[in-house]
Amino acid sequence: MIQAGATMSAVPHNKRKRLQSILIKPAGPDCNMNCNYCFYLDKAALFPQAKIHRMSEEILEETIRQCLWAEPDQLSLGWQGGEPTLMGLHFFEKAVEFEQRYGRNQIIGNGLQTNGLLINRDWAKFLAKYKFLVGLSLDGPQHIHDRYRILKNGKGTWSEVADKAKLLLDAGVAVNAISVVTDYSVQFAEEIYDYHKQLGLSYMQFIPCFERNPAIPSEPAPFSVPAEGYGKFLCRLFDLWTSNFVQSTPTTSIRFFDSIFYSYIGLEPPECTLGRTCGVYLVVEHNGDIYSCDFFVTPEWRLGNILEGNLLYMLNSKRQQEFGLRKARLPGECLKCAWLTVCRGGCPKDTVSDGENGFINHFCASFKMFFEHADAKFRHLAQEWKERQARQMKVDRTVSPQKPSRNDPCPCGSGLKYKKCCGKT
């Protein structure tokens, strides 16, 4: 195998990133829906050699082989698109077969992000058997979901997707609701939250929509969520989330809030938008091309190809380091902001020109509004968590002097693995 130019020799050993997460797009930008706000459909222009884009078994095997060679402990594989289920169930059965063949007793987590249209009982049985975490794209009740998530003929998809959510849940599949917050849905925080709960989707991820207007690139696309509206959405959602706590413990999970909580207890947040830098994972396209980030699948940020290079080397390449450090180059307004340590400037894809300070995040005003609203509660929750942690550690030292292993649940009761909690601090 050819090793693509760069090696890791220039990267100090203690600063080398581990390949613990990778995003795989086996059907590339292909999709059986035509959502108005989708940013990825246009990526087909990068692959003009064919109208239909499908990952070969050779590329699939090499991707999994390299991933499991690179990471000795714990690996997360995200299967995304476009729509990954266009590959058919056999492709994913083959993926699991390769994971079993090349695995070395690692913990392997598979996550499938899908629009749900092709899911049937066979899919549900497979996903439950191999413990796939499914992120189901469901924007909320019918009038919200069908606003933008439509077929090529303009027909809405809510009824079918809602049925598939029930099918997956009934089969015992772990399902997260993935909801895009748009100019329309931003008005309905409570309705969306209650809808997901009633459907049985207690794990939720909300993605603020921001795309540029193709006709006027300096302006947001019409479906993009306004900054002020998104700030109010987050505040209302936070109040709903905390109102459902039982004995200071959440009964629903909202990924953004969960990630922010990490910062308040002194841990590294799992969401890359909240980190000092980014570039902590790689994207594998259907043809084996490797990119720096899902939002930067562009020729500029193509790092190589899986059949010609090494994933771990590409993750630690000078080019990927440059990509990650771009996030840390924040404007002066961010550097003097009271919320810098919990915000970190947001996602670089959402930066816009402000005419004075150069560039700033489109959602800057949203985040300021939200942290001013939620900070006191987060601090209170963090203090309670630390007190519980201290009490539990005291009990554990009394009951048993044995130290937990890295992948054991942390004895403090946080719900995190020991290596991600007390074993880290």
Side-chain angles (χ1 to χ4, degrees):
M1 176 177 298
I2 301 170
Q3 301 298 339
T7 69
M8 293 191 293
S9 59
V11 182
H13 190 274
N14 63 345
K15 293 186 178 180
R16 291 177 188 172
K17 289 178 284 189
R18 293 168 59 183
L19 185 66
Q20 294 186 299
S21 180
I22 194 158
L23 187 62
I24 305 170
K25 293 176 173 285
D30 296 0
C31 190
N32 50 353
M33 288 178 61
N34 192 35
C35 303
N36 301 93
Y37 53 57
C38 182
F39 74 95
Y40 211 78
L41 290 175
D42 291 342
K43 299 299 180 183
L46 294 173
F47 315 107
Q49 297 84 356
K51 290 185 177 181
I52 297 176
H53 308 93
R54 300 290 184 269
M55 181 175 282
S56 68
E57 188 172 306
E58 177 189 20
I59 290 173
L60 171 65
E61 181 175 8
E62 182 61 15
T63 299
I64 292 176
R65 187 193 70 80
Q66 284 203 33
C67 286
L68 293 173
W69 168 83
E71 173 50 42
D73 186 14
Q74 187 166 344
L75 176 69
S76 173
L77 296 97
W79 305 89
Q80 200 191 66
E83 175 51 44
T85 61
L86 289 172
M87 298 300 300
L89 182 55
H90 177 71
F91 176 88
F92 287 91
E93 291 172 334
K94 202 69 182 177
V96 170
E97 179 184 321
F98 289 141
E99 290 173 2
Q100 294 171 337
R101 179 185 304 176
Y102 294 111
R104 297 171 293 147
N105 296 316
Q106 299 103 319
I107 297 173
I108 303 173
N110 286 287
L112 177 73
Q113 183 172 336
T114 176
N115 60 36
L117 295 186
L118 296 179
I119 296 296
N120 57 25
R121 293 187 184 280
D122 290 337
W123 269 102
K125 183 178 179 181
F126 168 82
L127 295 168
K129 179 179 180 180
Y130 292 105
K131 296 180 170 58
F132 274 62
L133 173 63
V134 173
L136 184 66
S137 295
L138 179 61
D139 282 356
Q142 184 170 12
H143 74 98
I144 297 170
H145 181 90
D146 283 350
R147 181 82 172 195
Y148 293 120
R149 298 195 63 80
I150 58 176
L151 300 174
K152 292 180 180 178
N153 62 8
K155 182 181 177 182
T157 59
W158 172 81
S159 177
E160 190 168 356
V161 177
D163 286 344
K164 297 303 174 66
K166 297 171 186 174
L167 172 65
L168 289 167
L169 290 168
D170 288 345
V173 179
V175 185
N176 289 1
I178 299 179
S179 303
V180 178
V181 185
T182 66
D183 65 316
Y184 181 71
S185 63
V186 73
Q187 308 169 76
F188 305 105
E190 185 167 0
E191 187 176 350
I192 297 169
Y193 179 78
D194 288 344
Y195 171 76
H196 287 333
K197 280 182 58 184
Q198 291 166 9
L199 197 58
L201 299 171
S202 57
Y203 291 84
M204 310 175 202
Q205 180 180 354
F206 295 92
I207 302 173
C209 182
F210 174 71
E211 297 297 328
R212 287 165 177 80
N213 189 334
I216 313 173
S218 61
E219 297 183 3
F223 46 72
S224 297
V225 58
E228 182 179 358
Y230 184 56
K232 293 177 180 178
F233 179 93
L234 287 176
C235 292
R236 181 60 185 140
L237 193 64
F238 182 78
D239 291 345
L240 293 165
W241 179 62
T242 55
S243 70
N244 290 151
F245 278 29
V246 175
Q247 296 182 341
S248 300
T249 301
T251 58
T252 58
S253 170
I254 295 177
R255 182 182 176 186
F256 184 58
F257 300 159
D258 293 344
S259 294
I260 289 172
F261 184 68
Y262 274 66
S263 297
Y264 275 85
I265 59 174
L267 298 177
E268 190 69 23
E271 189 165 323
C272 58
T273 64
L274 299 171
R276 291 178 176 84
T277 61
C278 53
V280 295
Y281 73 97
L282 297 174
V283 175
V284 185
E285 252 292 348
H286 73 286
N287 64 348
D289 283 350
I290 310 299
Y291 293 91
S292 294
C293 170
D294 182 31
F295 293 112
F296 291 88
V297 175
T298 63
E300 179 184 8
W301 295 109
R302 180 185 178 275
L303 302 174
N305 188 280
I306 189 71
L307 299 180
E308 299 171 351
N310 183 294
L311 286 174
L312 193 58
Y313 289 3
M314 283 186 260
L315 181 66
N316 287 280
S317 66
K318 182 178 179 180
R319 189 61 177 151
Q320 185 68 349
Q321 290 178 59
E322 291 172 352
F323 176 81
L325 289 172
R326 290 165 71 248
K327 188 179 189 306
R329 300 190 189 105
L330 299 173
E333 184 173 345
C334 285
L335 296 176
K336 63 185 180 183
C337 180
W339 309 115
L340 174 62
T341 57
V342 287
C343 171
R344 297 295 175 189
C347 181
K349 89 167 185 71
D350 296 326
T351 55
V352 294
S353 174
D354 70 353
E356 296 179 4
N357 298 312
F359 290 89
I360 199 163
N361 196 287
H362 171 75
F363 297 110
C364 178
S366 315
F367 298 145
K368 286 181 178 179
M369 183 189 301
F370 171 68
F371 285 117
E372 287 170 2
H373 177 81
D375 177 65
K377 184 65 173 179
F378 268 127
R379 289 182 183 277
H380 176 72
L381 293 171
Q383 184 60 35
E384 287 188 329
W385 180 87
K386 290 174 183 177
E387 291 172 356
R388 287 199 306 272
Q389 182 185 48
R391 289 195 299 270
Q392 187 63 47
M393 290 183 71
K394 185 176 180 180
V395 170
D396 289 341
R397 282 195 296 267
T398 303
V399 174
S400 173
Q402 184 177 357
K403 180 180 178 181
S405 65
R406 284 169 50 79
N407 289 309
D408 284 343
C410 189
C412 74
S414 66
L416 304 173
K417 293 183 183 299
Y418 178 70
K419 67 183 179 183
K420 293 287 188 180
C421 191
C422 298
K424 181 175 182 179
T425 58

